[in-house]
Amino acid sequence: MPRRSLPPIKVWVTLEERAEIEVRAAQTGLSVSAYMRAAGLNHPVRSVLDLKAVADLGRVNGDLGRVAGLLKLWLAEKRGQGASPVDVEALMKDLWALQTEMRQIMWRAVRGA
């Protein structure tokens, strides 16, 4: 049976509450009705903005990997020129640690933790 043919549930809200609900629904990419249904049934509601931020972090994470790869190549071909190998290796380790931390943040954001 189509939802439109079922009786609606009325919820009395102030104008400010309605505005906030509409903003939150828009942030999730859901209609107000779908947002209220998800919230009322205690289903997880994810923000479209959060998922976009995760995608952006994924791109930055890939860029960090490419930078680390270029540093590794530079270290192999130009060892001892411009910077000490110890400094370059320390920077590479920092980049890899940052990548790991970013992956953990992305995982938590997607899983809703």
Side-chain angles (χ1 to χ4, degrees), residues 34-92:
Y35 175 81
M36 294 293 290
R37 186 171 34 259
L41 294 171
N42 202 28
H43 293 167
V45 179
R46 301 229 190 278
S47 169
V48 172
L49 300 175
D50 291 345
L51 297 177
K52 183 185 179 312
V54 170
D56 291 344
L57 282 172
R59 283 189 286 282
V60 171
N61 198 35
D63 291 344
L64 284 174
R66 285 185 284 284
V67 168
L70 289 171
L71 281 172
K72 187 176 180 180
L73 178 67
W74 176 77
L75 186 59
E77 292 181 1
K78 307 286 186 179
R79 191 164 191 86
Q81 295 180 20
S84 74
V86 173
D87 290 340
V88 175
E89 288 176 12
L91 179 58
M92 285 173 39

Side-chain angles (χ1 to χ4, degrees), residues 3-113:
R3 288 189 196 273
R4 287 275 178 174
S5 62
L6 298 171
I9 296 176
K10 293 183 181 183
V11 179
W12 300 100
V13 295
T14 65
L15 291 175
E16 293 82 15
E17 291 168 334
R18 181 182 180 97
E20 185 174 342
I21 289 169
E22 289 172 345
V23 166
R24 289 181 184 202
Q27 287 175 341
T28 64
L30 297 173
S31 67
V32 170
S33 180
Y35 175 81
M36 294 293 290
R37 186 171 34 259
L41 294 171
N42 202 28
H43 293 167
V45 179
R46 301 229 190 278
S47 169
V48 172
L49 300 175
D50 291 345
L51 297 177
K52 183 185 179 312
V54 170
D56 291 344
L57 282 172
R59 283 189 286 282
V60 171
N61 198 35
D63 291 344
L64 284 174
R66 285 185 284 284
V67 168
L70 289 171
L71 281 172
K72 187 176 180 180
L73 178 67
W74 176 77
L75 186 59
E77 292 181 1
K78 307 286 186 179
R79 191 164 191 86
Q81 295 180 20
S84 74
V86 173
D87 290 340
V88 175
E89 288 176 12
L91 179 58
M92 285 173 39
K93 286 180 183 178
D94 289 346
L95 289 172
W96 286 325
L98 185 57
Q99 276 189 295
T100 299
E101 184 178 351
M102 286 179 66
R103 280 192 296 271
Q104 291 170 350
I105 291 169
M106 290 167 24
W107 176 254
R108 286 193 306 267
V110 170
R111 300 294 291 172

